[in-house]
Amino acid sequence: IRDRFEIGQDNAWLGVLNLRQVLWASGRVGNAWKSARAQAAAARAAGDDTAAAIARDVRSAYYLALLAGEQAHIARESLRQAQRTLDQIREQVDKGVTPEFDRVRAAVTVASRRPQVTRAENGEAIARDALKRLLGVPLHRPIALTDPLRAQDHGGTLEQATARALHSRRDLEAVKEQLRAADLRQRAQSANDRPSLYLDGNLQWQGETSDGLWPGDRESAASASVGLTLSWPIFDGLRNRYQTRAAEAVAARARLQ
């Protein structure tokens, strides 16, 4: 009968914790972080521009409704004036002081003004409905426009007004930030071919026991190590070269935009 030999313990445990911190990456990490911040700034500027566009559309619709209302008012007043002129000419014709031709001409003027009133009133109704749709107001609900249709003098020269407009254009700010983000992404991508320096830490614990499930203090051991790792990619099948070219194309498109 041969003796049986037992190798090892019934329960073995092993735990490993690896930590790595980038110390230097040839600008890859820094440029990527700056690119993300620029992209976030571009998104915020685009959101502000969307809000400004909504406000601009509402303001434009409001003043178009005011304009349409003034045009309808002018058309009605013009019709009333033509009707008063026709009534005066009729009295003069009846008294024999004005020829019949003047009455006919005044009647034609009145008849030509009525379609103008209809068109102006329809235009006012369409402009008010467009404003209601932008505001989310039901079309059957009436609205009152309280502002007068008056020109406003903002002062300054055309160059000053242009400078103010460019300064307040959030869409322009958004594309500038997008260009900055694209340039930084291109720099981060091109750095993938360059060396990187890492700080590595390793913590390992292991234990074995045949007495129960968990090993005791005399049946376990722990070890730790810290070191520096220099990593330099030698060949990646030209993948990074073409990814860098793609990033350059994105940056060029952003610059044209």
Side-chain angles (χ1 to χ4, degrees):
I1 300 174
R2 295 184 179 180
D3 295 333
R4 301 178 65 183
F5 294 95
E6 182 177 350
I7 300 177
Q9 305 294 330
D10 294 339
N11 299 308
W13 296 85
L14 175 64
V16 179
L17 177 63
N18 292 315
L19 299 176
R20 166 168 283 194
Q21 174 62 46
V22 178
L23 298 180
W24 180 70
S26 301
R28 182 170 63 251
V29 176
N31 287 325
W33 180 69
K34 293 177 182 177
S35 175
R37 292 191 61 183
Q39 192 65 40
R44 287 192 297 268
D48 294 341
D49 178 65
T50 300
I54 295 173
R56 183 183 64 244
D57 292 343
V58 172
R59 187 186 300 270
S60 176
Y62 184 86
Y63 283 113
L64 286 175
L66 276 179
L67 176 61
E70 290 292 331
Q71 290 174 338
H73 174 71
I74 292 172
R76 287 190 292 266
E77 288 298 322
S78 179
L79 177 60
R80 293 191 188 99
Q81 180 62 37
Q83 185 63 51
R84 286 193 293 266
T85 302
L86 176 60
D87 294 339
Q88 294 173 358
I89 292 177
R90 280 175 177 173
E91 293 179 358
Q92 294 174 0
V93 170
D94 294 339
K95 294 178 181 179
V97 297
T98 300
E100 180 67 20
F101 175 77
D102 290 345
R103 185 190 66 79
V104 174
R105 184 172 60 182
V108 171
T109 301
V110 171
S112 64
R113 297 286 170 82
R114 289 197 176 96
Q116 296 177 5
V117 172
T118 302
R119 286 194 297 269
E121 290 179 344
N122 289 339
E124 181 184 11
I126 293 173
R128 284 175 173 263
D129 288 345
L131 177 60
K132 291 177 184 179
R133 282 193 293 270
L134 283 176
L135 297 177
V137 176
L139 296 181
H140 65 273
R141 181 178 301 175
I143 58 175
L145 308 182
T146 58
D147 290 331
L149 190 64
R150 297 176 182 173
Q152 298 180 3
D153 184 12
H154 296 283
T157 64
L158 177 60
E159 290 75 12
Q160 293 173 341
T162 302
R164 288 198 304 269
L166 292 176
H167 179 72
S168 61
R169 283 195 55 171
R170 300 298 290 166
D171 58 338
L172 184 60
E173 184 67 23
V175 294
K176 287 181 178 179
E177 290 294 339
Q178 289 174 359
L179 172 59
R180 181 168 175 267
D183 285 335
L184 290 169
R185 281 197 302 270
Q186 185 267 326
R187 295 177 188 176
Q189 183 65 45
S190 63
N192 286 331
D193 287 337
R194 301 168 190 167
S196 301
L197 183 64
Y198 301 93
L199 175 64
D200 290 321
N202 177 272
L203 178 63
Q204 181 172 314
W205 176 89
Q206 59 183 350
E208 295 182 353
T209 182
S210 294
D211 299 328
L213 182 63
W214 194 257
D217 295 339
R218 300 178 61 86
E219 298 172 317
S220 62
S223 62
S225 63
V226 177
L228 295 176
T229 301
L230 179 64
S231 174
W232 195 333
I234 298 177
F235 181 71
D236 62 353
L238 303 180
R239 179 182 62 182
N240 188 64
R241 173 183 295 182
Y242 293 106
Q243 288 179 344
T244 301
R245 290 182 181 178
E248 291 173 352
V250 173
R253 183 176 60 184
R255 189 171 294 104
L256 291 175
Q257 184 179 1

